[in-house]
Amino acid sequence: MATPKHLLFSTLILIFLATSTAQAAINKKGAKELKTMFEDILDYSPAAAGLPESSTLKLDGDVTVEQAGSYYAVTLPHISLVSTDGSRTDVGMVALNVLPTKKDGQWKMTMAIPTPITHYDADGKWDMTIAIEQQNFAGIWHKKFKNFTKLNARYKNVTINTADKSFHSLLPDTTILYDLKENDTGNWSGPVDFSVNNMQMTLDEGEKITIGKIKLQTTMTDYSFEEAVAYQEKIDALMESYGSGEGSESGSHIMGIYNLVSSSFGSVLDSFTIKMGIQDLLYTEHRRSGLLAEEFRIDNASMGFSMNGLRQDKSSLRTSLNYSGLSISPSPEDWDTTTPDHMNFDISINNLPFKELAELGRGALDSALTMPGMAQMAGLQALMMAPQILTKAQTNLTLNDTVFGTEDYDVQLNAILTADLSATLSAVGEARGEIYGLEKWITILNRQLDSLTSPENDTTAMAKYSDVLSKLKKIGKQEKDKKGRPVHVYNFKMDKQGQTLLNGSDIKTLLQPETMETPAK
């Protein structure tokens, strides 16, 4: 049966094969060069798309290029992806139209993906089919940079079916959008988006999954195609030498990998943001016993990662994760009703001297490779230098509006921890926490604890959980939040002496176990 990796490769190669370069004039010379170019792409594309070593690209026929008035009509040979176990995926013959634009080296392209794409097992039996009802693929390809700067692709009613009926999927509306714009420095900025609307899946046990929307958003700033191409070429050369065993364990090879990775961030681009989100996810499990279906639902969920200022002296990293509208129906017997139905986690590292830290790491690695006996000392020296560099840059770790809870309670936390070499713990920090509905939270936990039939260790854990909340109730200052709701507030402060204060008092004293007075005899 086809694996997700094979399906991913098939998708990637179809997009990659749409790449083209040509001369402005539509003539025989241009057609010949175009034919050679596509032949080179077919030779190169398996490695570029991550084709596993157990698979090869089989081509049946030749690349044909015809002059068709103001454009070139290109047809690729019949393409199959063949695995060593004998299974294969038949892609078919991809057709493209390539025509020049007003800008030298940039070409408009359209592409038609063969449909259906069929996967056969090792015995040659049909295993899976991917069919596309409607498709539209148009973009602008940059000859020099070997990539699209503009792309608008849309696929309607894409279906995936397996022969054993263990999997069925319908993708009613899928879009891919590139909108990159060149700035005065010759670098490019803009979004690259991928989205699927109203996706439906059916599994062999009768489970159904529907997702209202899947969206992957990427934004790049000051992206250098030239550096990206050079970086890819270095990666290819490095992987080729590693695969052949040429110096794969040598110090120069290890240092080469470090330099390649550490230098790529600032050279290829200045900033990027990646965010993946889903809306209206519903998983339904139909029990064979005939009982009511179990439903798992999430209204919204997303995760993101970004790096900014990679070409600057100080950079920043940020990661986030959130969801809302989590529900399970009917609730399992052991379901904890205090499980948050919404959550937002947002953490960032700011003022990070990435270049300086990379140089520190480079020096330590070089010392370890050239003088193996001094490797431990070089590592310790780097660890001692790092806090100084972070302190000078005022590097900080920040928790931004982290929230979780249910309709009964809500917890919000903001915090900042700043590097400070003069501090006992090499950092100072402040945090503010707010809890709404703490009393009800404790009541629900105690009610669950009374009715719990789980093993003793689970009961003990929940009892400790309830005990901590009870202590927090006593410690917290009562105020109102931004919504005007009554909340318990907790102001934390970690000073240079390493002491952590909570609402002005030493936290060790506040959280130590309470002792009962011995009655007088």
Side-chain angles (χ1 to χ4, degrees), residues 282-285 287 292-297 326-332 335:
L282 175 62
Y283 170 83
T284 306
E285 178 183 353
R287 296 180 177 177
L292 292 176
E294 290 188 355
E295 290 187 353
F296 174 86
R297 184 187 300 273
L326 170 66
S327 66
I328 296 180
S329 177
S331 299
W335 178 252

Side-chain angles (χ1 to χ4, degrees), residues 266-296:
S267 62
V268 175
L269 79 173
D270 181 69
S271 306
F272 72 89
T273 300
I274 300 174
K275 184 177 181 180
M276 181 177 180
I278 61 172
Q279 296 177 10
D280 299 325
L281 181 149
L282 175 62
Y283 170 83
T284 306
E285 178 183 353
H286 291 279
R287 296 180 177 177
R288 294 183 175 180
S289 61
L291 298 177
L292 292 176
E294 290 188 355
E295 290 187 353
F296 174 86

Side-chain angles (χ1 to χ4, degrees), residues 135-243:
Q135 57 179 300
N136 189 308
F137 184 106
I140 297 179
W141 179 259
H142 201 297
K143 173 182 179 180
K144 182 179 179 181
F145 301 141
K146 302 178 182 179
N147 213 322
F148 286 104
T149 58
K150 305 282 185 182
L151 178 62
N152 189 336
R154 190 167 190 176
Y155 303 95
K156 289 192 173 183
N157 295 329
V158 178
T159 56
I160 304 173
N161 291 292
T162 58
D164 60 5
K165 299 183 179 180
S166 62
F167 181 83
H168 167 76
S169 181
L170 170 64
L171 287 68
D173 189 12
T174 302
T175 59
I176 306 171
L177 297 173
Y178 289 20
D179 188 14
L180 303 180
K181 297 179 181 178
E182 189 175 13
N183 59 24
D184 295 337
T185 64
N187 293 332
W188 297 75
S189 301
V192 175
D193 296 343
F194 170 84
S195 65
V196 179
N197 293 321
N198 301 316
M199 181 177 181
Q200 304 169 34
M201 288 182 285
T202 303
L203 308 181
D204 58 349
E205 295 295 328
E207 301 100 322
K208 291 185 179 180
I209 301 173
T210 60
I211 303 176
K213 188 167 191 132
I214 301 174
K215 191 161 189 178
L216 177 62
Q217 299 172 289
T218 302
T219 303
M220 301 181 293
T221 304
D222 283 341
Y223 182 86
S224 171
F225 281 108
E226 289 179 310
E227 292 292 342
V229 170
Y231 177 71
Q232 184 61 53
E233 290 174 349
K234 291 176 182 178
I235 285 287
D236 293 341
L238 198 63
M239 295 303 294
E240 185 176 348
S241 65
Y242 184 83

Side-chain angles (χ1 to χ4, degrees), residues 29 65 113 130 176 183 238 250-251 260 289 297 307 311 326 367 374 380 385 411 441 459 464 468 472 487 519:
K29 181 180 178 181
V65 181
I113 297 177
I130 302 174
I176 306 171
N183 59 24
L238 198 63
S250 67
L260 185 62
S289 61
R297 184 187 300 273
M307 299 182 73
R311 291 202 177 106
L326 170 66
S367 297
M374 304 293 289
L380 289 174
M385 288 292 295
V411 178
W441 192 0
T459 306
K464 290 181 178 179
V468 169
L472 287 175
V487 293

